[in-house]
Amino acid sequence: LCCFQLYGYCYQDSNDIPDTLTTITELGSPLEMIQLLQTSWEERFRICLSLVRLLHYLAHSPLGSVTLLDFRPRQFVIVDGELKVTDLDDASVEESSCTSNSDCFMEFPARNFTLPCSVEGRCQSMNEKRNLYNAYRFFFTYLLPHSAPSSLRPLLDKIVNATGNHNKHGNAYYLLFFSYLALELSPSPSVSSEFTQKCVKSANTQYRRVPEAFIPDENYRCWPSYHHKGCLLSVFDVNEAIEICDRYSQCKAFVLTNQTTWTGRQLVFFKMASNHIVPDPDKITYVKVTD
């Protein structure tokens, strides 16, 4: 769930390098924040969701609550879209001892916090809170707000502010909150049929539907996009695709693919013309009708 999968290891003792340990682990991609900021918001949210799951596991691990003392992006890798810890050298399971609340002082570059000292003489949830605030300062504050869906922004502002202010909630609260947001992103059959019919009726006067067809060229770039040479975005349904195409003057058509994102949203190519349409049984093209 949280760490590199170990497939095997072996010891090798040679004259040149005694007591050598070789490990074989799963392959992961280094975490590059600049590259992450250029990806779609949905993929950035996926990273944050996997991070919250990881933090929840660390807070309730078989060894007890684990804190990552060197909590920086370079300590993580991405495996199949999920965030995993690659370096546990600086992990600790020791909760700080205390005699008063003043002993439970946590200092960060931008903010400081004081946690309560328990009757057992331990700082309450210090390991969990340290991980959570580091997740906020290194990940949430950069990856969550920028270009987020407008419908989710009030909830995202709430979660980012809560972690930044170090409120009373623990990782279980944030795991539940992020899981809820993931459900909000996923297509749902509960959308009003009346609303859908109205949108389709309105859309039919604006777009011509061409089944089993694709536009191979006529690409333009947009941000964020799943394709670096074109405009490939995820949508809830055809109505959202129409809204996006109507929003940009260069968009004259779009192509629904049979590919989906990790939340089930459909990937759509947006095109700046429809001069060359070719057969493709796995795609549906919508061409904007001009007066």
Side-chain angles (χ1 to χ4, degrees), residues 2 89 95 107 140 202 239 244 247 268 285:
C2 73
D89 290 346
E95 292 278 17
E107 185 175 5
F140 298 163
S202 174
N239 301 310
I244 294 174
R247 200 180 306 154
V268 176
T285 292

Side-chain angles (χ1 to χ4, degrees), residues 5 15 21 81 110 123 149 153 172 178 190 206 250-251 259 261:
Q5 179 69 42
N15 294 329
L21 173 64
C123 296
R153 282 174 187 166
F178 274 73
S190 62
Q206 299 172 337
Q250 68 266 45
C251 182
Q259 297 175 295
T261 65

Side-chain angles (χ1 to χ4, degrees), residues 142-159:
Y142 296 110
L143 300 182
L144 283 178
H146 190 54
S147 70
S150 57
S151 60
L152 298 182
R153 282 174 187 166
L155 294 174
L156 288 168
D157 289 341
K158 180 179 179 180
I159 196 70

Side-chain angles (χ1 to χ4, degrees), residues 3-215:
C3 307
F4 251 10
Q5 179 69 42
L6 179 65
Y7 292 129
Y9 64 91
C10 63
Y11 289 100
Q12 181 180 1
D13 192 358
S14 65
N15 294 329
D16 297 331
I17 308 177
D19 301 325
T20 301
L21 173 64
T22 302
T23 61
I24 300 93
T25 64
E26 62 185 328
L27 183 63
S29 302
L31 190 65
E32 300 289 346
M33 291 300 292
I34 298 299
Q35 183 178 350
L36 270 182
L37 290 172
Q38 296 174 347
T39 62
S40 69
W41 183 88
E42 195 174 354
E43 289 303 312
R44 285 181 272 131
F45 172 75
R46 185 182 185 184
I47 296 296
C48 293
L49 174 61
S50 65
L51 177 57
V52 172
R53 289 171 176 163
L54 186 154
L55 296 185
H56 185 262
Y57 175 82
L58 292 177
H60 305 280
S61 79
L63 298 176
S65 182
V66 180
T67 187
L68 303 178
L69 299 176
D70 189 12
F71 196 114
R72 284 180 286 182
R74 69 182 185 184
Q75 306 287 25
F76 300 89
V77 293
I78 300 176
V79 180
D80 296 329
E82 300 288 330
L83 201 67
K84 294 193 176 186
V85 180
T86 183
D87 188 353
L88 292 174
D89 290 346
D90 296 302
S92 173
V93 295
E94 294 294 330
E95 292 278 17
S96 299
S97 58
C98 59
T99 57
S100 65
N101 290 350
S102 60
D103 296 327
C104 302
F105 181 74
M106 290 196 301
E107 185 175 5
F108 295 96
R111 298 201 62 175
N112 301 324
F113 303 97
T114 300
L115 299 179
C117 180
S118 69
V119 294
E120 294 83 10
R122 295 288 177 180
C123 296
Q124 291 184 15
S125 305
M126 178 169 276
N127 287 347
E128 180 179 5
K129 295 290 188 178
R130 180 184 287 112
N131 286 342
L132 192 57
Y133 187 75
N134 278 326
Y136 159 79
R137 56 191 284 247
F138 286 114
F139 290 92
F140 298 163
T141 190
Y142 296 110
L143 300 182
L144 283 178
H146 190 54
S147 70
S150 57
S151 60
L152 298 182
R153 282 174 187 166
L155 294 174
L156 288 168
D157 289 341
K158 180 179 179 180
I159 196 70
V160 172
N161 290 335
T163 51
N165 292 327
H166 221 281
N167 70 1
K168 62 182 179 181
H169 299 297
N171 288 315
Y173 169 82
Y174 294 102
L175 178 59
L176 179 64
F177 193 97
F178 274 73
S179 299
Y180 168 76
L181 288 181
L183 289 176
E184 287 291 299
L185 282 173
S186 303
S188 170
S190 62
V191 178
S192 166
S193 59
E194 180 182 0
F195 172 78
T196 303
Q197 290 173 3
K198 286 182 179 179
C199 286
V200 170
K201 182 178 180 181
S202 174
N204 286 339
T205 63
Q206 299 172 337
Y207 288 83
R208 177 169 55 91
R209 185 177 184 271
V210 186
E212 298 186 354
F214 179 61
I215 303 174

